[in-house]
Amino acid sequence: MSIPTLQGLQTALSGLVAEQAALDVTGNNIANSDTEGYSRETAVLQTNTPIVIPAISPQTGRGAQLGTGVSVATITRVRNTYLDAQYRTQNSALSAAGTQAEELTQAQAAFNEPSSSGIASSLSAFWSAWSSLSSSPTIEAKQGVVAAGQQVTGLLHELSAQLATISSQASEQYKALTGPSGEVQDDANQIAQLNGQIKLAEEAGQQPSEMLDRRDLLLDKLSSLAQVTVSEQPDGTDTVSFGDAAKPLVEGTTVNWPQELTEAAGGRLGALLGLTGPTGALASYQTALDGVAATLASTVNALHTSTPFFSGTTAASIAVAVTAAQVQTSSTEDVGGNDVAQAIAALRGGVAEASYASLVEQVGSGVQGARDDQSNLQTTVTAIANQRQSVSGVSLDEEMTNLISFQRGYQASARTLTAMDSMLETLIEHTGTVGL
């Protein structure tokens, strides 16, 4: 078997085509260097099937294989699925910590402690009013006690309402995210649609890199809402488990939503459920605040025996139940008696104040703990994101180096093609039969 006359042209042409494809891929990488979620692509080159020449040597009779050039086997997307899974796990934890810190910071702001206008300061003023009353049991001093008591109850009402509002807003936020037009439903629908498109592309023998990038970006965003586990199927589709839902959120082109989640779902949704649940932080703050109000009312009323000074047993319902004329200063009818006023003034620093101080400390500790978790997790997520970027991201320096390499390869193939063309021209135009 002889070597085909035009094989050299075809070999050189294959080099031109392959290097051109590699240049196109490099150009696409450079153009998308700042595109969110874009994964670097590479053109995988392979040698073409060689021509087998059975006997090329007249001495040994041995044959050979003649190379026929190069072709692009595929254009691959550079991605590390292990780093993707790690990123989504840590991103879910970071989102949960961030949500926790955000909501608890709002609660801490509502307490407004320490300050001259908080509950602690108003309680101090309340005991001082009783102390002044014990020193001078006048109607003006009694009016001061009533006013100080109303100041305390007003602040308790306000704080209780603010905690209830924060909890209600967190619940509404959860409903908005998980509702019919919420972020979970929207992301799941897009992933399911991409699953269908990717499956068709795979069946057609195409590499749907852009669609895979969009799907991975959606999975990254979804992981901030709850824990995400992805299982890739043989047909190219992803089965997506979401939080602790009973069924996968996405199976092929099917979306299973809505479903029930618990605080174990992780992410923003798990944190919101945990905060607003019966045993959550916001509920515990409200319960503790109610305990402060109940303790304040019971300890004062136990000494103010003529008529209860306070009514109500919760922070939202406690109120001053007496007028200035009904304020009791003494347990006897002695003019100038002040034993009741002194006893109530002596409640300063007692159980009610200690309970409130403990609650404020609990809130502060919760906020600090959530912020510390958020800071630590942010460091972890940033480190993993940098690792992913080093694998999948576009390095302009590297792409420029590739650009020069492929350009040189293209030029060399073109020179080869020119040389082969010149040789054929000599053969065709300058070779003929002698004497004709």
Side-chain angles (χ1 to χ4, degrees):
M1 178 180 179
S2 61
I3 301 174
T5 305
L6 301 178
Q7 182 56 46
L9 289 175
Q10 185 60 42
T11 299
L13 178 61
S14 72
L16 286 173
V17 173
E19 298 295 347
Q20 178 64 61
L23 280 167
D24 290 341
V25 171
T26 301
N28 187 50
N29 286 340
I30 294 172
N32 287 281
S33 60
D34 294 325
T35 301
E36 183 184 14
Y38 179 79
S39 300
R40 178 169 57 91
E41 297 178 352
T42 60
V44 179
L45 305 182
Q46 67 177 10
T47 58
N48 290 333
T49 304
I51 296 174
V52 178
I53 304 174
I56 194 173
S57 172
Q59 284 79 25
T60 65
R62 297 182 62 180
Q65 288 188 341
L66 178 65
T68 58
V70 64
S71 61
V72 178
T74 184
I75 297 175
T76 63
R77 190 178 66 121
V78 181
R79 199 82 184 190
N80 187 315
T81 56
Y82 172 75
L83 287 176
D84 287 342
Q86 286 290 99
Y87 175 84
R88 289 163 190 158
T89 298
Q90 297 303 321
N91 189 45
S92 178
L94 173 61
S95 180
T99 302
Q100 192 93 356
E102 177 186 327
E103 300 297 326
L104 294 185
T105 297
Q106 292 184 36
Q108 185 182 45
F111 276 86
N112 192 28
E113 298 289 358
S115 74
S116 59
S117 57
I119 291 175
S121 179
S122 68
L123 278 172
S124 179
F126 181 62
W127 308 130
S128 295
W130 279 103
S131 180
S132 297
L133 179 62
S134 68
S135 300
S136 177
T138 63
I139 189 64
E140 289 80 8
K142 290 182 178 182
Q143 289 173 341
V145 166
V146 171
Q150 290 173 337
Q151 176 69 14
V152 173
T153 58
L155 289 176
L156 286 169
H157 294 168
E158 183 180 345
L159 179 55
S160 178
Q162 286 180 310
L163 290 177
T165 298
I166 293 170
S167 180
S168 175
Q169 288 175 341
S171 297
E172 289 302 316
Q173 186 179 158
Y174 177 86
K175 292 178 183 177
L177 290 169
T178 59
S181 57
E183 191 172 337
V184 175
Q185 183 74 61
D186 183 54
D187 288 348
N189 287 341
Q190 291 186 63
I191 291 171
Q193 183 179 14
L194 285 168
N195 270 346
Q197 294 172 348
I198 290 168
K199 180 181 178 181
L200 291 175
E202 295 277 2
E203 290 173 348
Q206 301 171 355
Q207 178 67 15
S209 297
E210 288 74 16
M211 288 185 283
L212 291 170
D213 284 343
R214 291 205 302 273
R215 186 174 67 181
D216 280 334
L217 184 59
L218 285 168
L219 290 170
D220 288 347
K221 292 181 177 180
L222 197 62
S223 70
S224 68
L225 298 178
Q227 295 171 359
V228 168
T229 303
V230 181
S231 176
E232 186 175 354
Q233 304 303 310
D235 60 0
T237 62
D238 278 350
T239 298
V240 183
S241 298
F242 187 66
D244 57 350
K247 293 182 178 180
L249 175 64
V250 180
E251 291 180 288
T253 57
T254 301
V255 175
N256 300 312
W257 192 257
Q259 296 188 65
E260 291 295 324
L261 299 177
T262 70
E263 61 182 283
R268 188 169 189 83
L269 297 179
L272 290 172
L273 288 173
L275 286 166
T276 58
T279 60
L282 295 177
S284 70
Y285 295 165
Q286 188 70 263
T287 300
L289 187 64
D290 288 342
V292 171
T295 300
L296 176 64
S298 63
T299 53
V300 172
N301 290 346
L303 298 172
H304 197 278
T305 56
S306 61
T307 184
F309 185 87
F310 289 114
S311 63
T313 57
T314 66
S317 64
I318 189 172
V320 175
V322 297
T323 62
Q326 294 174 312
V327 173
Q328 183 183 1
T329 58
S330 174
S331 59
T332 67
E333 295 182 0
D334 294 341
V335 177
N338 64 357
D339 60 311
V340 171
Q342 285 182 332
I344 295 177
L347 292 174
R348 180 191 298 272
V351 179
E353 278 186 292
S355 298
Y356 181 72
S358 176
L359 173 57
V360 171
E361 183 179 357
Q362 179 187 355
V363 173
S365 177
V367 171
Q368 189 59 51
R371 287 176 178 172
D372 288 345
D373 287 345
Q374 183 181 18
S375 178
N376 293 334
L377 286 165
Q378 182 63 66
T379 300
T380 302
V381 169
T382 300
I384 296 174
N386 289 338
Q387 284 183 288
R388 288 212 307 175
Q389 183 66 15
S390 68
V391 173
S392 301
V394 176
S395 168
L396 291 178
D397 290 339
E398 182 181 351
E399 296 303 326
M400 290 302 295
T401 301
N402 290 338
L403 199 64
I404 295 172
S405 175
F406 297 141
Q407 181 186 17
R408 288 295 188 184
Y410 187 90
Q411 290 172 342
S413 294
R415 290 292 298 272
T416 302
L417 190 63
T418 301
M420 295 296 298
D421 177 65
S422 177
M423 291 169 62
L424 286 174
E425 181 182 2
T426 299
L427 178 65
I428 296 171
E429 295 186 6
H430 302 288
T431 303
T433 302
V434 177
L436 294 182

